[in-house]
Amino acid sequence: MAKNVLSKFQIRKGEVFQAPLENALDRLVTPFEEFIHRQSTSGLLLMLCAVVALVIANSPWQEAYKHILHLPAGYHFGDWSLSMSFHHWINDGLMAIFFLLVGLELKREFLVGELSELKHAVLPVMAAIGGMVVPALIFAGMNVGSPSERGWGIPMATDIAFAVGCIAILGNRVPRAVVTFLVALAIVDDLGAILVIAIWYTESVNMTALAAAIGLVVLLWLLNGAGVRRAPAYLFVGVLLWYALYKTGVHATLAGVITAMAIPARPKYDPVAFSTFVKDIIRSFDRCFRPGDKIIANDALRARVSALDNGIHLVQSPLQRMETRLHTPVAFIVVPIFALANAGIPVDSFTSTEAVFNPLTLGVICGLVFGKLIGITGATWVGWKLGWGELPSSGTFHHIIGVALLGGIGFTMSIFISELAFAGSHEMLIQAKAGVLLASLIAGIAGFMVLRRAPIEESTQGSGELEHSHHSQQQGASKLP
């Protein structure tokens, strides 16, 4: 993207160095970079990792697979130690990075995104609430009074990568505003899942560690208030917060969300100030330049280039920079590793009648497929009829039904909640995961087919969407912390 923008500017004077293989490598790397940033790619990779995990778990390598997951790993420093299984490190440690990205997305969306204006936020928020409450009620109704009722939070979640990946395959058949509606819905859904994990899936609380965690949260906000803009400072405190929450009994991954909320969202320079700053630096650069000078040998030139580099960082908010940097490692390393470690379940969990037709598995399937469909569609219809919000531009209820079905893809967060709900019961954990995988498959195929048959309208909203986005960002800038 940046390469395409830069190509519009021609270098009229001066020398541009080209390495011997630079052009060839550009032709190879640039399309690949564009490819991996597509949501459909991360969704396909997630699906591939789930299939690989299923294959390994039902192959002669299954014992080696289990052995690797249960290998202990930890840190030891004198009398202090922290040791967990490899599987535990993935779910409690690596997923904290996933939750950090989720927190950054939540904060941006509520400050300058689709959820920053009430009239655009009402329907996605209502749809998300309906898509959480109805599935939970369906599951609870099918499992009330049994040990499996603890899993009521499993069908509440939506997997953004899978859902958006399905829509991406359809290309222009789905209006852009409908995709935005789905993303906003899924982000609110993530917030609901985070609250459920924090409140209902915490067994006991260590008050001393909780006091330390509260102190670290205060420190994060002091850093924000003091104008600290270096991400490593927040990440260092975030790691300490992760350990404190781990010791409290509250799920440690919530440290990622809390840390994200403290990271500054307001840039140092607004566009006008940055433009003035750049022009001043360039004028100063030109005054210091002498024919034949090289930057490597001219301290004055190097100082101005360094100042320009700092300014480029300061015109972007720390939140924006961190979110951009985290997208690729989370989508292509963290979540796939999570899938490899958690999607490996026996095939007979899908094939035998007893394995599928039990209240736990059926509760997850019905909650994700039918609960999401009823909850999202019903809440959207009520909000629309009452005049509280507007349907996505160029979208119809045909699209809303398709989005509601795709909302039933609950892979990552649903499996994560399954691990928390049934950590002490291997059989129920397998049944819950089987329900999540089957429901995600059914919901994904059904949602794809419904949206594929949705009416295609001429979209004239391109410039309007850009104007709305710019307007939202201008309004949001005044409330950025």
Side-chain angles (χ1 to χ4, degrees):
M1 182 70 177
K3 183 179 176 67
N4 294 335
V5 173
L6 290 174
S7 65
K8 295 178 182 179
F9 298 93
Q10 295 182 355
I11 306 296
R12 297 178 184 274
K13 296 179 180 179
E15 180 184 355
V16 179
F17 174 76
Q18 291 277 41
L21 298 178
E22 190 170 351
N23 288 333
L25 290 175
D26 277 347
R27 285 195 294 272
L28 289 171
V29 173
T30 303
F32 177 72
E33 288 177 343
E34 292 177 355
F35 177 71
I36 66 173
H37 280 89
R38 293 173 55 192
Q39 282 285 358
S40 56
T41 312
S42 61
L44 289 172
L45 179 59
L46 196 55
M47 189 182 302
L48 175 63
C49 288
V51 171
V52 169
L54 285 169
V55 170
I56 294 175
N58 293 276
S59 72
W61 304 309
Q62 60 178 302
E63 290 304 320
Y65 173 77
K66 293 177 183 177
H67 176 70
I68 291 172
L69 290 179
H70 290 93
L71 279 175
Y75 299 94
H76 299 273
F77 187 80
D79 294 332
W80 178 86
S81 65
L82 175 62
S83 182
M84 297 187 288
S85 69
F86 188 51
H87 184 235
H88 202 172
W89 274 113
I90 292 171
N91 285 3
D92 272 29
L94 203 59
M95 285 298 284
I97 303 173
F98 168 80
F99 276 88
L100 174 62
L101 178 60
V102 169
L104 294 169
E105 290 175 338
L106 277 170
K107 185 172 182 177
R108 174 185 49 76
E109 194 67 23
F110 279 108
L111 290 174
V112 296
E114 189 70 13
L115 300 177
S116 62
E117 293 186 40
L118 186 61
K119 66 177 181 179
H120 296 288
V122 169
L123 287 190
V125 170
M126 288 186 66
I129 293 172
M132 290 185 285
V133 172
V134 176
L137 290 176
I138 288 177
F139 181 93
M142 298 177 71
N143 290 270
V144 65
S146 68
S148 59
E149 69 178 352
R150 181 171 167 75
W152 60 269
I154 297 170
M156 293 177 64
T158 295
D159 192 291
I160 298 179
F162 265 141
V164 176
C166 288
I167 285 186
I169 296 172
L170 291 166
N172 295 329
R173 297 186 66 89
V174 180
R176 191 174 302 173
V178 173
V179 181
T180 304
F181 180 88
L182 173 60
V183 171
L185 180 161
I187 286 175
V188 177
D189 195 292
D190 281 344
L191 177 60
I194 290 165
L195 293 175
V196 166
I197 291 169
I199 299 171
W200 281 281
Y201 290 105
T202 298
E203 296 291 345
S204 59
V205 177
N206 180 324
M207 298 308 295
T208 303
L210 181 61
I214 292 172
L216 290 166
V217 172
V218 172
L219 178 57
L220 282 170
W221 286 102
L222 285 175
L223 290 173
N224 183 297
V228 175
R229 312 186 66 78
R230 298 293 180 182
Y234 293 92
L235 295 179
F236 176 73
V237 179
V239 171
L240 297 178
L241 178 61
W242 177 91
Y243 180 70
L245 288 178
Y246 171 75
K247 300 301 287 185
T248 63
V250 178
H251 206 270
T253 51
L254 297 177
V257 179
I258 297 170
T259 302
M261 293 300 163
I263 292 174
R266 169 173 281 184
K268 183 76 171 177
Y269 299 131
D270 70 4
V272 174
F274 178 69
S275 176
T276 303
F277 167 80
V278 170
K279 290 170 184 174
D280 289 343
I281 289 289
I282 294 300
R283 281 193 291 267
S284 177
F285 183 94
D286 290 342
R287 284 196 298 270
C288 296
F289 176 74
R290 297 292 178 269
D293 274 355
K294 302 292 183 184
I295 290 180
I296 195 171
N298 188 319
D299 289 339
L301 291 180
R302 193 162 69 249
R304 274 114 185 118
V305 172
S306 179
L308 182 60
D309 182 57
N310 290 334
I312 290 171
H313 281 84
L314 292 173
V315 76
Q316 301 177 77
S317 70
L319 181 146
Q320 180 184 9
R321 293 199 307 272
M322 185 177 291
E323 184 183 354
T324 301
R325 290 171 181 171
L326 281 178
H327 264 297
T328 297
V330 167
F332 298 98
I333 299 175
V334 173
V335 176
I337 289 176
F338 175 82
L340 285 170
N342 290 280
I345 62 177
V347 170
D348 56 16
S349 300
F350 305 98
T351 55
S352 66
T353 304
E354 295 79 10
V356 175
F357 291 96
N358 63 78
L360 174 51
T361 305
L362 279 179
V364 173
I365 294 173
C366 291
L368 281 171
V369 178
F370 300 111
K372 288 286 185 181
L373 176 61
I374 296 168
I376 292 174
T377 307
T380 303
W381 184 84
V382 169
W384 177 59
K385 281 296 184 181
L386 292 176
W388 293 351
E390 303 170 351
L391 289 179
S393 180
S394 298
T396 66
F397 255 91
H398 195 130
H399 294 105
I400 299 299
I401 291 171
V403 164
L405 285 167
L406 290 182
I409 303 175
F411 189 84
T412 306
M413 197 71 85
S414 291
I415 289 181
F416 187 78
I417 295 176
S418 300
E419 289 279 345
L420 298 179
F422 303 119
S425 174
H426 180 70
E427 182 180 353
M428 285 195 288
L429 178 58
I430 292 298
Q431 290 174 350
K433 287 183 178 181
V436 171
L437 293 177
L438 286 171
S440 298
L441 182 64
I442 294 168
I445 293 173
F448 179 86
M449 296 305 294
V450 168
L451 288 174
R452 190 169 180 270
R453 288 173 169 76
I456 303 175
E457 297 182 11
E458 286 288 331
S459 177
T460 58
Q461 63 192 31
S463 59
E465 281 185 354
L466 290 175
E467 283 180 18
H468 164 62
S469 175
H470 178 65
H471 177 63
S472 296
Q473 291 178 8
Q474 284 183 323
Q475 286 191 327
S478 63
K479 52 183 177 179
L480 296 181

